[in-house]
Amino acid sequence: MSEQPLAIRAIFEHAMRAHAHKYIISRDGDAVVRFTYAQFGRRVAQLAHALRKLGIGPGDRVASFAWNGHRHLELYFAVPMIGAVLHTVNIRLFPDQVAFVLDHAGDRAVFVDASLVKAIKPAIALNPDAERAFVVMGETSELLAGSSRYEELLAAEPDTYDWPEFDERSAALLCYTSATTGDPKGVLYSHRSTYIHALSIGLTDAMGIGERDRVLPVVPLFHVNAWGTPFVSLMVGADFIMPMERLDPAGLVELLESERVTVSAGVPTIWMAVRDLLRARNTRLPLLRKVIIGGSAMPPSLMDDLEELGIRAIHAWGMTEMSPVGTLNVDSSAADDKPELRRKERYTQGRFSPIVSWRLVDESGNDVPADGTSRGELLVRGYAVAREYYRNDAATAAGFEPDGWFHTGDVATIDPYGYLEIVDRVKDFIKSGGEWISSVEVENLLMGHPGVKEAAVFGVAHPKWQERPVAAVVLREGHDLDEEAIRGWLLERLAKWQTPDRILFMTVIPRTGVGKFLKRELRAQNERLFAEG
Ligand code: AMP
């Protein structure tokens, strides 16, 4: 058989030939702009020429600091297709973290959305002598010192490019984990892993995306390559729609509706907000077939609520180190005649992707049975799983076994039909009086309370019990609940030792750059809650 390299170029060229008439759609300021794949492809070629003129060549890193928009997507193809590496920077990192990742990656150019120029300035000021080019995307009067304008660069260039061929193991994309402790860790994706991951997520029993779909990733292009949605969409010829900075629920619902979106993806908090808005307006999105929800555990109540609104919610689990998809929850035939089992399984993180191998191990590294109840740490390996962190030997040694198994840091059970259930992060477990409490289990319950909008549960040091659970809760508008009311409700559903000792009411729960609850900060803010004296 032919040994043609698996490459992003192959996805692109197929898209241009087979689906030239399909659309890339993006908000751009107040407008919504549309490009056929063919027009998009010409702009990708122009961008490739412009990159070369900026001195970018094979192996060089190029950073993006951008929303989900068409220019960002152009970088997704042009940068890797000239052999360079696109480093998608999380725009919500603190300035010192942005400065760290730009420096660690050695980025030679940074492409910044016009509306984010102000946001990146403090990071650049931390390292003013770094030699790198800046390119501003979109209309703005505010530029960075020495920066050029994206549209001017493209306009000067021809719209075809003689794409080079290179080894499929070459680096294509770079993403840093939204570290909850320590410096961000980089994961470098190859052309090969990107291609294989895209094929795998397109399967019917995975995201099941097809040519008729209109896909809108709410998940940022800087969060693990928007979970692979750009690549699978162009591969199959689906229209691809991007919201730019309009991530507020009203802006999203407007675009989902006007662009007749059929498939979307994002973290649970986004869908909680969309759900609340749809309910408040008493409207539906009848064309939205399904949403892929992951990044943190989807509370069962969210899944039920979305289903009531006619939206199929597919729970997914993954990690930056896994490109990211590990599992997706699509019904299997196994539980067809077992309604009890189906009810239980449908809320779990789902079944493994065919490109991921897994093990569940105890603290001594011994395999734990896949019986649906035995817990162990999940180890993974596969075609799109990293084997090391980028330029970080210490983190690599801590996270990866010499034979390639990666420690996910997630504790899970797997049932005999292959359904994975994440019990908690190893470090988020709460140890109280010698017993382990899963923060996720208590959060899921709390988020099923009609008056609770959001809840995060974390452990706080306790003089007698070692640690005790505490819940940070955001109430729904119009609900007036006190600590005792919520604890009383929980006590009807949980053992006393599992029930949080304190319920802290907040207006917002602190979040990571990709929208997950930031438990480290909650722990730090409350570390002396149970201190004696
Ligand atoms: P990141 O690489 O930053 O996306 O974080 C990966 C981690 O997020 C995983 O190791 C899990 O702890 C968590 N995570 C992702 N998806 C889920 C999910 N569906 N349920 C529970 N935890 C999840």
Side-chain angles (χ1 to χ4, degrees):
M1 287 292 120
S2 142
E3 287 189 4
Q4 199 186 331
L6 301 173
I8 290 173
R9 173 186 168 186
I11 299 176
F12 177 81
E13 287 185 332
H14 174 72
M16 294 307 122
R17 295 199 70 189
H19 308 293
H21 59 290
K22 299 306 295 281
Y23 281 95
I24 305 292
I25 298 163
S26 172
R27 281 196 195 272
D28 192 11
D30 293 331
V32 174
V33 294
R34 287 156 208 286
F35 300 90
T36 60
Y37 275 19
Q39 290 169 322
F40 171 79
R42 290 196 282 274
R43 286 175 57 86
V44 170
Q46 289 177 308
L47 174 56
H49 286 289
L51 286 163
R52 297 295 290 156
K53 284 218 176 123
L54 287 172
I56 306 298
D60 287 338
R61 273 80 59 205
V62 173
S64 60
F65 196 80
W67 303 104
N68 289 8
H70 69 95
R71 298 183 183 92
H72 202 174
L73 194 71
E74 287 156 13
L75 285 162
Y76 252 65
F77 287 89
V79 174
M81 289 200 308
I82 63 165
V85 179
L86 180 66
H87 167 206
T88 50
V89 179
N90 182 338
I91 61 171
R92 301 205 180 87
L93 295 178
F94 293 112
D96 59 324
Q97 293 175 311
V98 173
F100 171 84
V101 296
L102 292 178
D103 186 48
H104 188 267
D107 293 312
R108 299 209 34 210
V110 187
F111 284 70
V112 185
D113 266 338
S115 61
L116 293 169
V117 168
K118 204 182 243 121
I120 202 173
K121 275 188 172 166
I124 292 167
L126 290 173
N127 192 0
D129 299 330
E131 267 191 45
R132 53 178 70 112
F134 290 99
V135 180
V136 175
M137 303 188 283
E139 288 304 313
T140 176
S141 53
E142 189 171 16
L143 286 174
L144 293 153
S147 62
S148 22
R149 289 179 185 271
Y150 188 87
E151 293 301 333
E152 285 170 15
L153 291 184
L154 263 61
E157 300 301 334
D159 63 6
T160 57
Y161 196 95
D162 190 11
W163 303 108
E165 191 164 290
F166 37 80
D167 192 317
E168 64 183 21
R169 291 166 299 183
S170 311
L173 298 144
L174 173 64
C175 190
Y176 283 77
T177 61
S178 48
T180 48
T181 47
D183 283 329
K185 293 174 282 189
V187 176
L188 199 55
Y189 310 95
S190 65
H191 280 264
R192 173 186 154 86
S193 67
T194 307
Y195 190 96
I196 295 178
H197 181 264
L199 274 183
S200 73
I201 60 174
L203 296 173
T204 309
D205 277 354
M207 291 187 188
I209 292 176
E211 191 268 342
R212 287 171 192 277
D213 280 312
R214 296 175 60 81
V215 180
L216 184 155
V218 184
V219 50
L221 290 172
F222 59 75
H223 187 203
V224 216
N225 312 323
W227 302 350
T229 53
F231 299 115
V232 68
S233 296
L234 269 82
M235 204 175 233
V236 301
D239 291 323
F240 197 70
I241 298 132
M242 291 164 286
M244 285 297 283
E245 54 271 82
R246 287 297 308 277
L247 296 174
D248 57 295
L252 280 177
V253 167
E254 184 187 288
L255 199 61
L256 289 165
E257 205 162 35
S258 64
E259 291 303 328
R260 308 184 320 280
V261 171
T262 60
V263 178
S264 190
V267 293
T269 44
I270 291 274
W271 299 105
M272 290 180 194
V274 168
R275 166 198 66 192
D276 292 348
L277 187 76
L278 291 175
R279 278 180 167 174
R281 290 189 183 164
N282 198 16
T283 47
R284 296 273 194 277
L285 293 167
L287 297 177
L288 186 59
R289 276 196 307 130
K290 59 182 166 191
V291 294
I292 318 295
I293 302 185
S296 54
M298 162 161 61
S301 52
L302 176 60
M303 184 172 188
D304 293 345
D305 294 347
L306 288 174
E307 277 188 7
E308 213 178 281
L309 290 163
I311 302 168
R312 189 153 153 244
I314 298 187
H315 198 179
W317 166 85
M319 299 185 76
T320 305
E321 293 84 345
M322 302 178 71
S323 298
V325 175
T327 62
L328 280 146
N329 195 325
V330 179
D331 279 354
S332 75
S333 58
D336 280 354
D337 51 357
K338 302 183 187 76
E340 272 313 304
L341 181 65
R342 163 89 3 116
R343 246 191 300 284
K344 185 167 176 295
E345 281 178 338
R346 63 194 288 270
Y347 297 119
T348 69
Q349 279 75 7
R351 289 177 295 138
F352 282 92
S353 154
I355 65 166
V356 175
S357 324
W358 73 91
R359 289 176 63 197
L360 213 49
V361 300
D362 65 17
E363 278 161 24
S364 331
N366 299 317
D367 286 292
V368 160
D371 56 12
T373 53
S374 303
R375 292 173 174 187
E377 191 200 349
L378 184 60
L379 268 48
V380 292
R381 200 162 69 169
Y383 300 92
V385 177
R387 63 156 195 256
E388 62 185 20
Y389 289 109
Y390 182 57
R391 296 179 167 168
N392 191 337
D393 293 341
T396 297
F400 294 85
E401 294 289 332
D403 57 1
W405 288 100
F406 168 64
H407 286 262
T408 64
D410 286 332
V411 174
T413 62
I414 298 174
D415 82 3
Y417 306 103
Y419 282 83
L420 170 80
E421 183 164 16
I422 301 287
V423 185
D424 213 341
R425 290 293 289 160
V426 173
K427 60 181 192 300
D428 288 339
F429 263 106
I430 301 156
K431 188 153 202 191
S432 173
E435 297 285 346
W436 292 103
I437 300 170
S438 152
S439 64
V440 174
E441 193 181 322
V442 184
E443 279 160 14
N444 281 346
L445 253 181
L446 269 170
M447 286 194 263
H449 186 295
V452 173
K453 192 165 161 202
E454 289 175 2
V457 173
F458 55 100
V460 174
H462 191 281
K464 180 166 174 201
W465 300 108
Q466 185 174 355
E467 269 190 329
R468 284 298 298 151
V470 171
V473 164
V474 179
L475 289 180
R476 264 178 211 294
E477 235 172 88
H479 285 263
D480 185 21
L481 292 158
D482 63 9
E483 243 185 293
E484 278 325 297
I486 293 193
R487 287 196 71 243
W489 185 87
L490 277 177
L491 281 165
E492 288 168 18
R493 294 161 173 84
L494 279 177
K496 186 151 183 267
W497 62 273
Q498 292 171 308
T499 303
D501 283 11
R502 295 291 312 273
I503 310 288
L504 309 176
F505 294 100
M506 311 185 76
T507 44
V508 281
I509 295 179
R511 298 203 182 164
T512 68
V514 293
K516 307 184 191 195
F517 295 140
L518 194 53
K519 295 195 185 176
R520 176 187 41 155
E521 191 154 318
L522 289 169
R523 280 192 286 260
Q525 284 168 0
N526 295 287
E527 63 188 353
R528 302 199 44 80
L529 199 61
F530 301 123
E532 278 169 314

